[in-house]
Amino acid sequence: MNGAVVSIQSRLEDAIRRLDVDGVERVDNEVRNVVAQAISHDSEQAVRVLRSLKDVYAGLIESVTAERSRVADELRALGKARRGVSAYQGAPDA
């Protein structure tokens, strides 16, 4: 079951990197199946799988949050540059 979690992590990271929403949805559905399967077998296995998945999602949340912050910084810089260009273009000739 741990191999399944590693595979899930890899495919989720890849789908996120490619901005593949459908791919994320497919892997998410697989996660639901893995959790259901783990719960149906025994509680110890379920706890292990859930802890592993929690770690996977915590790491993904961290990386997505960092990427969102990077994009926000880039957008702010572009807005600032655009305002600078507009101010320069609108300035009267000396």
Side-chain angles (χ1 to χ4, degrees):
M1 192 65 65
N2 221 10
V5 173
V6 171
S7 173
I8 286 168
Q9 179 177 6
S10 174
R11 286 183 289 129
L12 271 174
E13 289 171 347
D14 184 54
I16 290 170
R17 191 173 25 261
R18 291 182 292 115
L19 303 175
D20 179 4
V21 175
D22 293 331
V24 171
E25 184 177 359
R26 282 190 300 274
V27 176
D28 185 58
N29 287 332
E30 184 179 337
V31 167
R32 293 170 196 259
N33 292 334
V34 167
V35 169
Q37 196 174 44
I39 289 172
S40 72
H41 283 72
D42 70 47
S43 61
E44 286 183 32
Q45 182 180 14
V47 168
R48 283 193 304 274
V49 168
L50 290 172
R51 283 187 177 144
S52 295
L53 289 170
K54 180 185 78 88
D55 293 342
V56 166
Y57 279 97
L60 289 172
I61 288 169
E62 187 176 308
S63 66
V64 168
T65 299
E67 180 64 12
R68 181 176 42 197
S69 178
R70 185 194 67 75
V71 169
D73 290 345
E74 189 173 325
L75 288 172
R76 278 190 289 277
L78 287 171
K80 187 176 180 180
R82 180 175 289 152
R83 286 189 301 278
V85 168
S86 293
Y88 176 76
Q89 289 174 341
D93 291 334

